Amino acid sequence: MLTTYNVIWKKDEEDNNKLEKRGKGINPCETKDKKEAECYISDYEELINDIEDLIEEQQINETERLYKESKAPNEKFNKKNKLSITDLSAQLWCEQQLELVLTTGKRKETEAMKLGIKRHEVLEKEDHIIIDVEVNTREESLGYRLLNTITLLGQLYECKKAREVWVFGIVRNYVLRGIIDELRIEYDRVSKREYLIISDTKTRKEKKEPSLAQKKTSAIQVQTYCLLLQHLKCGKTDYHKLFEIYECDPNFEFTDPHLVKYKNLTNLAKEVNKLFLKLPKIKEEMEIVYEHQGVEFSRNHIPYFYDSTLYTINILLDYWDGKRSSDVVEDSDKWK
């Protein structure tokens, strides 16, 4: 069975001193394991019960005034031009909830979320072994992410299926990144060619499909995955910008035994790029699979349109750039 790596930062004083000498700080978001890093205070299901109190009419004007005087959210919340796909889906769900969670640091883990995390762990461990590794540089942390991508893309080509594949891309000076639940290569008898299928699994507490509002957040997830994969397949991804935003030296020489064969991030990125360029045509109809107690009960197909997806992403990025304030939910959506 294949092996992938879960990155854990070393915390001893000696390693911290080494980092200080290099003039680089540790991004708190990167100290979490893979699952938590993608979901940390950004998942749309992390709701605050008293959100309705914050959107009363008399407070909206005050919020607008404070917004004009504040820093852009990208800087205010220390995002450093790195956004997860769940950050974007959280915005579609309710930007003011996202902003409140980022401001207070409070988050609510629902029962459905716990079930979903457990289910994803089961599916991933059925697919490959996960080993914890300690790192003490940003270069090694990013290196392991890219190494996992190499491993799983290799599995995709050999077995026609891979789970938990990390993808990334640069859109308007932001790194957008996420983990795709499942990629499959299937042969279409009509067109007589292979297609790459993007599939995302959602665990439901009850055996029923979610609301339309929740479906929209899931749709932008898989649509953004498709956009990033298309850029990666066409060689449009700017790896140098990726290194810059992650504050990594692309020529820093690895000493970790699992990474040393690649020497540095530059060589590692070349291998990743070669594998993405080999992808078959990406099917522009993604799957969202709904499960209850580990059993699929519904499957939705989400169409992909490049222009509309990029248009939506740009509107969402306007918030992080401080070009607009967080949207207020309509009266009909206050239940969120």
Side-chain angles (χ1 to χ4, degrees):
M1 186 176 285
L2 293 176
T3 300
T4 60
Y5 301 95
N6 179 48
V7 173
I8 300 174
W9 280 87
K10 290 181 180 177
K11 297 181 180 179
D12 59 276
E13 186 175 348
E14 180 181 351
D15 288 321
N16 287 337
N17 289 336
K18 290 179 182 178
L19 282 172
E20 290 175 7
K21 289 179 181 179
R22 294 189 62 204
K24 295 183 178 181
I26 296 175
N27 185 342
C29 291
E30 294 177 357
T31 65
K32 307 291 182 181
D33 62 30
K34 180 180 72 173
K35 293 293 184 185
E36 190 172 355
E38 291 298 328
C39 298
Y40 180 64
I41 64 169
S42 63
D43 195 285
Y44 66 85
E45 290 187 273
E46 296 171 354
L47 311 180
I48 304 300
N49 291 330
D50 61 351
I51 186 65
E52 291 183 6
D53 295 336
L54 297 180
I55 57 176
E56 294 299 327
E57 187 62 32
Q58 65 268 27
Q59 294 188 351
I60 293 177
N61 292 335
E62 177 67 4
T63 300
E64 290 287 344
R65 184 186 67 79
L66 292 173
Y67 155 75
K68 292 177 182 178
E69 298 173 358
S70 68
K71 299 177 181 178
N74 177 50
E75 183 180 1
K76 180 179 179 181
F77 300 121
N78 200 33
K79 285 294 187 177
K80 296 185 177 181
N81 290 76
K82 289 179 287 191
L83 297 173
S84 69
I85 307 306
T86 47
D87 284 322
L88 303 184
S89 63
Q91 288 180 259
L92 278 187
W93 176 254
C94 180
E95 279 188 335
Q96 291 218 334
Q97 284 182 359
L98 170 65
E99 192 167 59
L100 182 62
V101 171
L102 290 171
T103 300
T104 64
K106 296 178 181 179
R107 59 194 179 110
K108 180 181 178 181
E109 191 174 73
T110 66
E111 187 64 28
M113 287 173 58
K114 293 177 182 178
L115 291 172
I117 291 171
K118 288 181 180 178
R119 179 58 179 161
H120 277 269
E121 288 177 349
V122 169
L123 291 172
E124 185 175 10
K125 288 178 180 178
E126 287 177 353
D127 186 71
H128 53 261
I129 298 169
I130 305 170
I131 296 178
D132 290 342
V133 290
E134 288 189 334
V135 301
N136 60 4
T137 68
R138 286 193 181 93
E139 289 79 6
E140 289 176 343
S141 177
L142 181 57
Y144 268 111
R145 287 186 179 275
L146 295 176
L147 180 59
N148 285 343
T149 299
I150 288 174
T151 300
L152 293 172
L153 287 178
Q155 181 190 39
L156 176 66
Y157 292 126
E158 182 178 351
C159 305
K160 306 299 182 183
K161 186 175 78 169
R163 292 196 61 84
E164 307 298 321
V165 181
W166 190 66
V167 293
F168 51 89
I170 311 297
V171 178
R172 224 172 78 182
N173 207 39
Y174 283 88
V175 170
L176 303 183
R177 82 270 194 225
I179 297 177
I180 300 177
D181 282 355
E182 182 179 272
L183 289 176
R184 298 194 313 275
I185 295 177
E186 294 183 355
Y187 181 77
D188 182 74
R189 294 182 179 179
V190 176
S191 61
K192 296 182 179 180
R193 66 182 302 173
E194 289 186 328
Y195 284 91
L196 182 69
I197 311 295
I198 300 169
S199 182
D200 194 74
T201 301
K202 302 295 183 186
T203 301
R204 302 290 296 163
K205 189 177 180 180
E206 299 178 8
K207 196 174 181 179
K208 65 178 182 179
E209 292 194 9
S211 66
L212 179 60
Q214 288 172 312
K215 286 187 175 184
K216 286 181 179 179
T217 64
S218 298
I220 193 62
Q221 279 186 285
V222 293
Q223 288 164 342
T224 305
Y225 291 151
C226 189
L227 183 144
L228 297 181
L229 276 174
Q230 286 187 340
H231 285 185
L232 287 161
K233 173 177 167 51
C234 296
K236 294 181 179 179
T237 301
D238 187 343
Y239 287 88
H240 292 293
K241 195 66 179 178
L242 176 73
F243 301 149
E244 178 187 325
I245 293 175
Y246 268 86
E247 301 178 70
C248 290
D249 177 1
N251 298 313
F252 172 79
E253 291 199 14
F254 296 132
T255 57
D256 186 284
H258 298 109
L259 297 171
V260 70
K261 65 176 285 189
Y262 295 100
K263 190 176 180 179
N264 55 40
L265 282 172
T266 298
N267 293 333
L268 194 54
K270 288 179 181 178
E271 293 300 314
V272 173
N273 188 51
K274 286 179 185 177
L275 290 171
F276 275 122
L277 291 176
K278 289 171 55 181
L279 287 175
K281 182 176 176 60
I282 302 168
K283 188 171 183 179
E284 295 186 344
E285 186 180 69
M286 295 73 69
E287 298 177 351
I288 296 181
V289 178
Y290 294 103
E291 290 187 352
H292 173 64
Q293 296 182 348
V295 179
E296 177 184 337
F297 69 88
S298 182
R299 184 175 295 238
N300 291 178
H301 293 89
I302 310 299
Y304 170 78
F305 302 101
Y306 176 80
D307 289 338
S308 61
T309 300
L310 190 59
Y311 177 79
T312 300
I313 292 172
N314 276 317
I315 290 176
L316 298 175
L317 292 181
D318 282 345
Y319 164 74
W320 296 103
D321 279 339
K323 294 182 178 180
R324 62 175 179 82
S325 58
S326 56
D327 281 344
V328 178
V329 296
E330 301 292 336
D331 288 342
S332 59
D333 286 331
K334 284 188 176 181
W335 59 272
K336 293 179 180 180

